[in-house]
Amino acid sequence: MDSSNSMTPLMRDSDGLPLRLADFETLWEGLDYAAQGAKGISFFDSLGRLTGILSYRELRDRAVDLALRLNANGFRHGDRLAIVAETTPDFPVFFFGCQYAGVIPVPLPMNVHLGAHDAYIVSLRNMMKAAGVRGVVASDDWIAQVREAASMLEIPFAGPPEDFYALSRKKGSLAPFGKDDPCYIQYSSGSTAFPKGVLGTQLSVTSNARGIGGHALQVRDGDHAVSWLPLYHDMGLVGFCITPMLTQLSLDYLSASSFARRPLVWLTLMSERRGTISFSPTFGYDLCVRKMERRGIEEADLSHWRIAGIGGEMIRPAVLAKFAEVFAPFGFDEKAFLPSYGLAESTLAVTFSGLGRGVRTHRRSELAPDQRDANYSGLHREFAICGKPMPGHELEVRADDGTRCVEGEIGRVFAKGPSVMAGYFGEAEASAEVLGDDGWLDTGDLGYLLDGELVISGRGKDLIIQNGRNIWPQDIEWAVEQLEGVKGSGVAAVSMPSRDGSENVVVVVEARVKAAEEIALLEKQIHSTVYQAAGLKSEVVITTPRSLVRTSSGKLSRAGTLTKLLSGQIAVLNRDDEDAGGSAKRTALAS
């Protein structure tokens, strides 16, 4: 990283403007206020070089100008505008421009999977169709794919930002959203074929930002945020685009693709910019540890990092402990870790563990003593405690019959409060499946309460049930990932129904080894590890890197991986000798 950046003038962290912690009814009112100060956003490339600065004052001016142009050219109150969510100044301009125009922004993901062009086009097309967008904007890097996706849809406006900025603003007027209006549509749920767009409202978003900034993070004068999180994901959009603006925080952006290539640039930015707040899923911290093991940074000062948030996926305490150990010599304090729980259907955040407490865990064994044999080691599960709900929000853990679980009993997690979504856009039936008439949201996650604090134990739809036992796929995956020759975060444990109605556990593993004898040895090690971790026998599929299916935000899709395996699209490296195409192996798995 260019060390001269530490001398580059940035957006101020303190400007004399009294802090208001998201006490606004709409996003545009929050931006109007933030624009009175001298804070804003700085953008950096994969080498840590400053590429652009956008003050909140300039953001407000450009957003208002764009809103006038949109309304002067046929965009009406409630129309939808899709925005390919690149980490550039254009994204916040368009997102907040929509707020002033009364147009609902629809952030769209970028194609993060090489070689998946056709699938990406289908995904884009289905999201734009489901949202009924009137326009779509993307940079020159993505506009060809966007236009291809839009070619079968009747979308009047599809072009790069420059085309929209060139629209006439004559007779344009502002029509900003009111407090009871929508805010955005976010596609983070559902399948590629049937996407479900979370409809966030001004109320749900401002309520969530208020809980995050005021209650959970306790934002104070002098704080500075740094983020690499994608802006089409709720952690990036709400946590590190909307909330910083509503709490007048200056922040630095590194794109998710830049982070993936050079994860340690994130930490270098935290050091040189004296960052105090940053969040990541567990895998982000893991990437930094792995990169340090190969070729790390020599100097950094992480002593200013007071909040290192974790969310977005199951929290892995062992990974975070390793991160704290590796980066303690650079001033990182393990008490900075802030576990949280949330989901897009509740805007972003539901619970936080509490500042200055670090990662607190709870150990439990899911296998009763009478179910173990002499060869089973009985590894305990260690879960991160995710804390209590934000003010004004409630939690319940319910059994299958709908009754409330006693403390410590695992059940489905339900949430209620002003942050809960209005529903899935245009999907009344899907909305009714998760939203009750009483306002309770079925999160689909499994967990339990411990002294009133939430502990997440897994995702309901990923749970494997075998011979009456609940098998948590994370237990298997995390154990197998420790083996030499296994790609980090390259394991998926799934359940495959057999013809007799029982379930087989299949472990799909991305391997770093290629030689036949190495693959054979690895397969034996995986079988043994799975038995030690979960007390069961499994089928093992060893495949090549980048074979597992992931969501647009990088999360493992177990269901997608299983579908890909069954359709013959995953190369099976440990296939039987007589099975040149791997089909016999797949048939055996399903029989």
Side-chain angles (χ1 to χ4, degrees):
M1 181 170 175
D2 184 356
S3 60
S4 64
N5 278 338
S6 60
M7 303 302 293
T8 304
L10 293 176
M11 296 294 95
R12 296 180 185 176
D13 296 328
S14 180
D15 57 6
L17 184 69
L19 285 182
R20 293 179 60 182
L21 300 183
D23 60 340
F24 306 99
E25 292 186 329
T26 64
L27 266 61
W28 65 267
E29 290 173 316
L31 183 53
D32 274 0
Y33 184 76
Q36 298 175 37
K39 299 177 183 178
I41 311 168
S42 301
F43 297 82
F44 296 85
D45 65 13
S46 61
L47 297 177
R49 297 175 301 199
L50 183 68
T51 60
I53 293 177
L54 182 66
S55 69
Y56 288 135
R57 182 173 303 171
E58 181 184 355
L59 172 57
R60 192 261 180 197
D61 291 345
R62 292 179 61 183
V64 167
D65 180 76
L66 176 64
L68 293 172
R69 297 177 191 278
L70 292 176
N71 286 345
N73 287 273
F75 281 86
R76 296 293 176 255
H77 202 274
D79 282 349
R80 278 78 64 197
L81 175 64
I83 312 166
V84 175
E86 300 170 79
T87 308
T88 67
D90 289 315
F91 178 80
V93 169
F94 272 80
F95 184 86
F96 290 109
C98 286
Q99 305 300 317
Y100 287 101
V103 173
I104 305 174
V106 186
L108 298 179
M110 294 168 288
N111 185 9
V112 296
H113 303 293
L114 297 177
H117 172 83
D118 292 344
Y120 178 62
I121 297 302
V122 170
S123 179
L124 278 184
R125 180 179 297 133
N126 288 337
M127 284 186 282
M128 290 190 290
K129 180 179 179 181
V133 301
R134 181 174 176 78
V136 56
V137 58
S139 73
D140 290 337
D141 292 336
W142 300 99
I143 192 60
Q145 296 181 70
V146 166
R147 283 174 170 155
E148 181 181 351
S151 61
M152 299 176 64
L153 306 174
E154 295 182 3
I155 299 178
F157 296 89
E162 292 74 19
D163 286 3
F164 287 82
Y165 295 145
L167 293 173
S168 172
R169 54 180 282 177
K170 188 176 181 181
K171 296 184 179 180
S173 61
L174 299 182
F177 283 130
K179 64 179 183 178
D180 299 318
D181 285 336
C183 183
Y184 60 72
I185 299 171
Q186 186 206 348
Y187 283 96
S188 63
S189 302
S191 65
T192 299
F194 303 101
K196 293 186 293 185
V198 170
L199 179 60
T201 65
Q202 300 292 322
L203 172 63
S204 67
V205 176
T206 55
S207 296
N208 208 250
R210 192 175 306 123
I212 295 171
H215 168 72
L217 305 186
Q218 298 176 25
V219 170
R220 58 200 188 198
D221 201 34
D223 271 333
H224 189 97
V226 178
S227 177
W228 59 264
L229 301 169
L231 293 168
Y232 50 80
H233 187 265
D234 46 303
M235 275 183 74
L237 177 62
V238 179
F240 283 87
C241 179
I242 295 173
T243 297
M245 182 277 294
L246 290 177
T247 57
Q248 305 91 57
L249 261 179
S250 282
L251 72 154
D252 297 332
Y253 276 150
L254 179 73
S255 72
S257 59
S258 294
F259 169 78
R261 289 193 299 271
R262 295 183 174 89
L264 295 180
V265 173
W266 172 39
L267 303 189
T268 305
L269 282 174
M270 289 296 297
S271 172
E272 296 193 356
R273 302 308 184 184
R274 295 178 178 266
T276 62
I277 301 173
S278 194
F279 272 62
S280 172
T282 304
F283 78 80
Y285 295 100
D286 191 30
L287 277 177
C288 291
V289 170
R290 293 174 183 273
K291 181 63 71 173
M292 281 291 288
E293 291 174 346
R294 295 193 294 271
R295 183 181 176 184
I297 53 179
E298 296 180 357
E299 295 183 9
D301 179 6
L302 302 179
S303 62
H304 303 281
W305 196 349
R306 73 179 187 91
I307 301 176
I310 317 109
E313 63 177 11
M314 281 286 290
I315 297 173
R316 302 170 60 180
V319 170
L320 300 176
K322 184 65 175 178
F323 180 93
E325 175 188 341
V326 170
F327 291 99
F330 299 92
F332 181 79
D333 183 354
E334 63 181 359
K335 292 183 179 179
F337 280 131
L338 179 63
S340 63
Y341 166 72
L343 67 165
E345 284 81 354
S346 189
T347 304
L348 170 59
V350 177
T351 72
F352 285 91
S353 179
L355 295 179
R357 307 178 75 181
V359 180
R360 296 172 296 125
T361 62
H362 181 242
R363 291 169 59 84
R364 63 185 294 162
S365 175
E366 295 301 321
L367 193 59
D370 60 0
Q371 293 178 299
R372 306 171 189 170
D373 61 28
N375 297 315
Y376 178 59
S377 65
L379 294 178
H380 285 73
R381 305 192 74 217
E382 187 173 36
F383 298 111
I385 299 172
C386 296
K388 296 183 179 182
M390 297 188 300
H393 297 73
E394 301 175 67
L395 274 181
E396 284 187 2
V397 178
R398 301 178 185 176
D400 291 340
D401 62 3
T403 60
R404 294 183 64 172
C405 294
V406 299
E407 186 155 295
E409 180 184 1
I410 293 177
R412 292 179 76 90
V413 178
F414 285 73
K416 184 179 182 180
S419 296
V420 171
M421 67 174 182
Y424 296 117
F425 180 78
E427 298 287 346
E429 185 174 337
S431 300
E433 290 177 358
V434 298
L435 279 174
D437 294 336
D438 55 2
W440 283 97
L441 167 71
D442 181 354
T443 68
D445 291 320
L446 300 176
Y448 58 95
L449 294 176
L450 189 69
D451 295 328
E453 296 187 272
L454 179 65
V455 181
I456 293 294
S457 57
R459 181 72 177 163
K461 65 181 180 181
D462 291 331
L463 183 66
I464 300 169
I465 302 175
Q466 189 178 70
N467 299 326
R469 283 182 53 210
N470 291 340
I471 308 298
W472 306 94
Q474 293 90 349
D475 285 351
I476 297 172
E477 294 160 359
W478 298 350
V480 173
E481 285 177 14
Q482 305 308 310
L483 295 174
E484 189 74 24
V486 174
K487 182 179 180 293
S489 301
V491 183
V494 297
S495 176
M496 182 181 293
S498 64
R499 293 194 180 101
D500 64 4
S502 62
E503 293 193 47
N504 292 330
V505 176
V506 182
V507 185
V508 185
V509 180
E510 295 178 343
R512 295 186 181 278
V513 297
K514 297 180 180 180
E517 60 272 17
E518 293 178 314
I519 291 173
L521 175 61
L522 180 59
E523 181 175 5
K524 291 180 180 179
Q525 293 173 329
I526 294 170
H527 280 297
S528 175
T529 300
V530 171
Y531 191 79
Q532 291 295 315
L536 56 84
K537 295 181 179 180
S538 64
E539 298 290 346
V540 174
V541 172
I542 298 178
T543 186
T544 56
R546 295 184 177 178
S547 294
L548 303 185
V549 177
R550 300 188 180 277
T551 67
S552 60
S553 59
K555 294 181 183 178
L556 172 65
S557 171
R558 297 181 181 88
T561 298
L562 177 58
T563 299
K564 187 176 179 181
L565 175 66
L566 290 174
S567 64
Q569 299 178 52
I570 289 183
V572 182
L573 302 182
N574 58 322
R575 62 182 182 270
D576 299 330
D577 290 340
E578 67 274 13
D579 177 26
S583 59
K585 183 97 178 171
R586 290 190 296 274
T587 301
L589 292 177
S591 64

